[in-house]
Amino acid sequence: MMVLKHCVLLPKLLIAFNMKNIAVIGAGTMGNGIAHTFAQSGFKVSLIDISEASLKRGMETISKNLDRMVAKEKISESDKTETLSNISTYTSIPEGVKNVELVVEAATENIDLKLNIFKQLDEACVEDTILATNTSSISITQIAAVTSRPEKVIGMHFMNPVPIMKLVEIIRGYNTSDKVTKTIMSLSETLGKAPVEVNDYPGFVANRILMPMLNESIETLYNGVAGVNEIDTVMKLGMAHPMGPLQLADFIGLDVCLSILNVMYDGFKNPKYAPCPLLVNMVRAGKLGIKSGEGFYDYSESRKAEKVASQFSK
Ligand SMILES: NC(=O)c1ccc[n+]([C@@H]2O[C@H](COP(=O)([O-])OP(=O)(O)OC[C@H]3O[C@@H](n4cnc5c(N)ncnc54)[C@H](O)[C@@H]3O)[C@@H](O)[C@H]2O)c1
């Protein structure tokens, strides 16, 4: 059986970082992927969510994704058992973050909710704990400002699906220290990821470039220039994109795309980031993409959604 290379390297690196216990807040799409990735690299992970149902769903997803890796002979059956045994679940933040060296927050994208979580984390965590957020668009500097340790607050923006995608966008807030940035960059490498350091401005780098392209694809559809399949085919076959932009928007979630565009529109005060009226209407109508069963494509049969997801993860 093939065992992931970074698992073998890890014990030495763990000692270097003095990091062994981490907490992940939120067991949704991103949170369970982040917990999976750390646990597979040998970290003890506290997975925390306010919802018992989310924790159960999150653990089921991790187990299914590990099964897929076993079937592909990327990990062994005992790697799977060990990974699962590295994860404990909690519904209370203070209980789950006791004695952790790092917290990665991946709760719902909502500014008030995140500020509230970071206030709680600041109170519950020991002084040295680094507080990271997986936010797609909210200012790291603003989140850091509600804590007493802004130099230890940083963005750790994983991509979906986390166990497969290599990139981690590491976002330095205005006050994030060099030491914390270096630690998180090196830590990301030990997870087998490729970290890239960027500064804290709306959309960071990934979404600042991606979202205008997705928005323009929606605008192209709205203007009647071409249909959904035609737009996606042009970008897939003409630009070698693995997934068409409208399909990708469905995969990310149209509500998430709208919220990121609004953050950039407000943050830069530039009309080039204004969300297309069709996107706004679809979100108002509850057409959010794969997660709601319908977006630019129809995912009413669960099989179809899975097919799209597996196509993306190849
Ligand atoms: N979905 C993506 O493709 C993607 C990609 C990169 C980053 N992100 C970011 O990751 C974060 C999570 O996104 P997601 O898509 O996983 O969302 P999601 O809706 O799938 O999951 C969010 C989870 O947070 C939990 N939660 C809400 N309030 C909480 C609280 N107070 N304490 C603990 N848990 C709480 C919810 O119960 C839910 O399980 C967001 O900040 C989002 O912007 C998402």
Side-chain angles (χ1 to χ4, degrees):
M1 287 279 175
M2 213 166 77
V3 175
L4 292 184
K5 253 200 230 145
H6 60 272
C7 295
V8 179
L9 286 177
L10 198 72
K12 234 202 284 175
L13 293 160
L14 278 183
I15 292 163
F17 291 126
N18 198 20
M19 235 180 228
K20 199 170 185 318
N21 303 293
I22 76 128
V24 177
I25 314 276
T29 313
M30 297 305 287
N32 75 61
I34 296 167
H36 170 155
T37 302
F38 274 98
Q40 196 178 325
S41 292
F43 289 83
K44 295 285 175 202
V45 180
S46 305
L47 181 58
I48 307 167
D49 202 295
I50 37 163
S51 152
E52 284 277 9
S54 282
L55 284 171
K56 188 168 173 281
R57 259 197 317 273
M59 289 306 293
E60 282 166 3
T61 302
I62 295 171
S63 184
K64 255 191 245 157
N65 289 339
L66 287 166
D67 281 339
R68 212 169 289 146
M69 295 174 100
V70 173
K72 287 186 185 166
E73 300 197 348
K74 287 188 171 169
I75 60 168
S76 67
E77 197 49 69
S78 72
D79 289 334
K80 179 194 165 185
T81 311
E82 199 180 320
T83 300
L84 288 174
S85 74
N86 280 339
I87 308 174
S88 312
T89 58
Y90 299 86
T91 49
S92 138
I93 288 185
E95 203 191 331
V97 301
K98 244 189 255 164
N99 306 321
V100 301
E101 290 95 29
L102 168 72
V103 180
V104 183
E105 174 277 318
T108 313
E109 186 81 341
N110 172 298
I111 178 79
D112 293 332
L113 186 137
K114 289 203 195 275
L115 296 183
N116 184 26
I117 289 176
F118 273 77
K119 278 185 208 158
Q120 286 185 63
L121 289 174
D122 194 38
E123 273 175 30
C125 294
V126 296
E127 204 185 333
D128 286 341
T129 304
I130 296 175
L131 305 180
T133 172
N134 184 52
T135 179
S136 306
S137 60
I138 296 168
S139 161
I140 310 302
T141 307
Q142 191 177 0
I143 292 174
V146 301
T147 75
S148 62
R149 62 182 93 193
E151 74 291 353
K152 296 194 190 84
V153 177
I154 192 161
M156 212 176 173
H157 186 203
F158 289 89
M159 305 291 133
N160 185 14
V162 183
I164 289 159
M165 298 294 280
K166 290 289 273 184
L167 178 71
V168 190
E169 202 177 18
I170 306 295
I171 306 118
R172 290 186 73 131
Y174 196 87
N175 289 308
T176 311
S177 72
D178 288 344
K179 188 176 164 214
V180 165
T181 306
K182 267 192 202 139
T183 304
I184 295 301
M185 293 285 288
S186 310
L187 176 70
S188 304
E189 283 168 4
T190 72
L191 296 173
K193 302 292 184 199
V196 174
E197 184 184 325
V198 311
N199 287 318
D200 181 27
Y201 288 97
F204 317 131
V205 171
N207 283 320
R208 182 169 177 168
I209 296 170
L210 175 67
M211 286 301 156
M213 188 192 74
L214 301 191
N215 199 36
E216 197 58 33
S217 315
I218 301 168
E219 192 79 30
T220 307
L221 177 71
Y222 177 62
N223 291 341
V225 180
V228 170
N229 274 318
E230 288 73 15
I231 291 168
D232 275 357
T233 302
V234 166
M235 297 305 284
K236 276 195 283 189
L237 301 187
M239 318 300 155
H241 288 196
M243 192 182 242
L246 298 172
Q247 199 177 21
L248 180 55
D250 275 357
F251 185 76
I252 293 169
L254 301 192
D255 52 338
V256 175
C257 295
L258 177 60
S259 134
I260 297 170
L261 282 161
N262 276 329
V263 166
M264 294 199 291
Y265 184 48
D266 291 345
F268 291 116
K269 310 280 182 251
N270 185 333
K272 82 174 174 182
Y273 300 108
C276 173
L278 174 60
L279 174 64
V280 176
N281 252 357
M282 287 177 75
V283 172
R284 283 182 181 151
K287 311 288 182 207
L288 307 181
I290 289 180
K291 64 180 154 191
S292 73
E294 194 184 335
F296 295 105
Y297 294 86
D298 181 3
Y299 306 93
S300 41
E301 298 157 43
S302 60
R303 237 172 10 91
K304 275 192 204 160
E306 271 173 26
K307 204 169 147 205
V308 171
S310 70
Q311 181 185 336
F312 186 57
S313 66
K314 266 175 200 160

